[in-house]
Amino acid sequence: GGPRPLAGKKAIVTSGPTHEPIDPVRYIANRSSGRQGHAIAAALAKLGADVTLVSGPVEIPDPAGVTTVHVERAEEMLAAVVAALPADIAVMVAAVADWRVAAAGTQKIKKKPGEAPPPLLLAENPDILKTIGHHADRPKLVVGFAAETQDVEANAREKLTRKGADLIVANDVSPATGIMGGSRNSVRIVSRDGVDAWPDLAKAEVATRLAALIAERLAALP
Ligand code: C5P
C-alpha cells in the first residue's frame, strides 16, 4: 500500500564498496557496508520506481523488488550504471575506490626470500557520479553522497558543482560517529537552495525521507 509517486520512473542506485584487485587473491577495499544505498534502493521501489541497484561486494541481501547488478571494481560499476541508462533518477551512494592497482597481476604475487616488498602503483578510477552528472543522457535528478571527516558542508557544496549533482547528502564519517558500518546516520542535504540538517536517524529512515524528497523534487521539475 501507500502512495506511489514514482510509478513509471526509473532509478539507478549504487551501493557498497568496490574491491580493486591487486592480484587474483588480494584486493584493496573500504569499510562501506552497503546498508544506506540498499535502503535507498528499497525506499525508491516502495514509492513505485523501477530500480536498478548496482552493488559492490556486500554481506547484506539484495533488497526485494529491485533489480540488483553485482559488480566488484569501479570500472565495472561505471559500465553497469551507464548500461542502465536512461533513467529519471540516479543516486550514487557507493564508496567507490578512488584508485585501482595500475597493473593488477593475473597470477598471485609471490613473496621471495630476501626481496623488497613489491611497489603498488595506483591509477585513478573513473568518477561515476561525475560521469553521470555530466552525461549526455543525464537523469533529471542526480544525487550524490559526501562522506567526510572534516569541512563536511564546504566539501558537499564543492561536489554539487564539480560533479553536476542536484543534491548532495553529506555525512560526517569520523570514526567517533559510528556511521560507517553502523545502522544510524546523521546527514545534511545540500542543494543550490541551501542546506537542510536532518536529525540523527536510522539509515532506513534516512532512505525513506530521501526517497520522498526525490519524488517531491522530481515532481517540481519541468
Ligand atoms: O569525491 P567523493 O568520493 O567524496 O564523492 C562522493 C560521491 O561521489 C558519492 O556519491 C560517491 O558515490 C560518488 N563517487 C563515484 N565514483 C567515484 C568516487 C565517488 O560515483 N569514483
Side-chain angles (χ1 to χ4, degrees):
R4 292 167 63 86
L6 293 178
K9 304 293 181 194
K10 169 121 197 259
I12 307 172
V13 180
T14 66
S15 184
T18 63
H19 285 183
E20 305 297 332
I22 297 170
D23 68 18
V25 298
R26 304 182 178 101
Y27 58 84
I28 297 174
N30 63 65
R31 298 187 192 283
S32 169
S33 66
R35 283 188 194 181
Q36 187 64 83
H38 280 51
I40 290 165
L44 290 167
K46 203 173 166 192
L47 296 189
D50 168 8
V51 181
T52 298
L53 171 64
V54 181
S55 175
V58 295
E59 290 179 13
I60 57 174
D62 294 351
V66 164
T67 303
T68 304
V69 179
H70 295 272
V71 299
E72 189 177 353
R73 300 179 290 109
E75 289 176 313
E76 292 170 345
M77 187 174 273
L78 174 62
V81 168
V82 170
L85 290 173
D88 304 284
I89 303 156
V91 191
M92 306 287 95
V93 196
V96 183
D98 290 316
W99 305 285
R100 65 179 178 276
V101 176
T106 53
Q107 303 294 331
K108 186 186 171 194
I109 303 168
K110 295 294 288 178
K111 184 168 79 173
K112 299 195 190 88
E115 272 192 12
L120 270 191
L121 184 64
L122 302 179
E124 199 169 322
N125 265 335
D127 189 318
I128 300 168
L129 172 58
K130 190 173 158 200
T131 304
I132 295 309
H134 294 100
H135 201 277
D137 229 352
R138 183 191 189 278
K140 277 199 187 117
L141 203 67
V142 175
V143 182
F145 272 63
E148 304 286 349
T149 57
Q150 55 188 347
D151 301 327
V152 177
E153 241 171 72
N155 280 310
R157 256 193 297 274
E158 182 273 330
K159 277 181 193 133
L160 195 67
T161 329
R162 181 168 53 85
K163 300 199 181 201
D166 301 294
L167 296 175
I168 293 282
V169 181
N171 56 2
D172 185 341
V173 291
S174 303
T177 65
I179 285 172
M180 212 153 185
S183 63
R184 299 188 71 78
N185 207 350
S186 170
V187 304
R188 275 170 272 181
I189 307 292
V190 181
S191 72
R192 274 169 290 278
D193 308 337
V195 181
D196 191 12
W198 289 1
D200 177 70
L201 299 164
K203 284 184 180 175
E205 181 61 22
V206 169
T208 303
R209 291 194 188 197
L210 185 62
L213 178 63
I214 285 170
E216 190 185 297
R217 289 247 171 183
L218 199 62
L221 288 176

